[in-house]
Amino acid sequence: MYSEKVMDHFTNPRNVGEIPDADGVGQVGNPTCGDIMKIYLKIKDDRIEDIKFKTFGCGAAIATSSMVTEMARGKTLDEALQLSNKMVAEALDGLPPQKMHCSNLAADALHAAIEDYRGKQKSA
């Protein structure tokens, strides 16, 4: 049902945790499946210097959260905004059709964290 990459990111998730003084935080949830993802960003020179996540959800939700943090680390904010749910799923060698909504959440949480950061910059 799941690819080796999905299983690897589920059993050995990367970048788990919180960044207490995060520059941007994004949280999304899907009440239908119960998955909730929170992504924390540390930004330096318009680039993602550090990224962590906390996810409550199924194995696919944890795997996509882990993968999106790996994909976004080191990218500029504009580059990170280009990451899509489809790209996350492809990086994991695919997800079962009934789990595709989980990959949507990972990209959405990343985008929400970037929007949070940019909103704070405008009001500062």
Side-chain angles (χ1 to χ4, degrees):
M1 183 167 160
Y2 291 116
S3 71
E4 279 186 39
K5 279 190 184 176
V6 171
M7 292 308 295
D8 180 42
H9 277 269
F10 169 61
T11 56
N12 303 296
R14 284 67 152 177
N15 309 306
V16 175
E18 296 178 40
I19 300 174
D21 58 343
D23 296 319
V25 180
Q27 181 171 319
V28 296
N30 183 328
T32 306
C33 64
D35 296 332
I36 299 169
M37 296 178 183
K38 197 167 194 176
I39 289 190
Y40 303 83
L41 300 176
K42 200 72 177 154
I43 310 297
K44 186 174 183 183
D45 300 327
D46 204 46
R47 196 170 284 278
I48 297 174
E49 184 179 59
D50 195 13
I51 182 169
K52 296 205 179 297
F53 79 92
K54 290 184 95 177
T55 292
F56 176 84
C58 67
I62 293 166
T64 56
S65 298
S66 174
M67 180 55 84
V68 84
T69 62
E70 290 285 278
M71 294 171 77
R73 182 184 297 280
K75 289 195 174 357
T76 66
L77 297 178
D78 287 337
E79 289 169 341
L81 281 170
Q82 298 302 311
L83 293 174
S84 69
N85 52 2
K86 186 174 185 231
M87 293 165 78
V88 174
E90 287 172 356
L92 288 166
D93 294 335
L95 290 169
Q98 70 272 26
K99 292 295 181 181
M100 279 303 290
H101 63 276
C102 300
S103 65
N104 294 355
L105 289 180
D108 291 348
L110 172 63
H111 298 165
I114 293 169
E115 288 169 20
D116 179 55
Y117 167 73
R118 286 187 166 165
K120 289 175 181 173
Q121 298 308 299
K122 286 179 186 167
S123 63

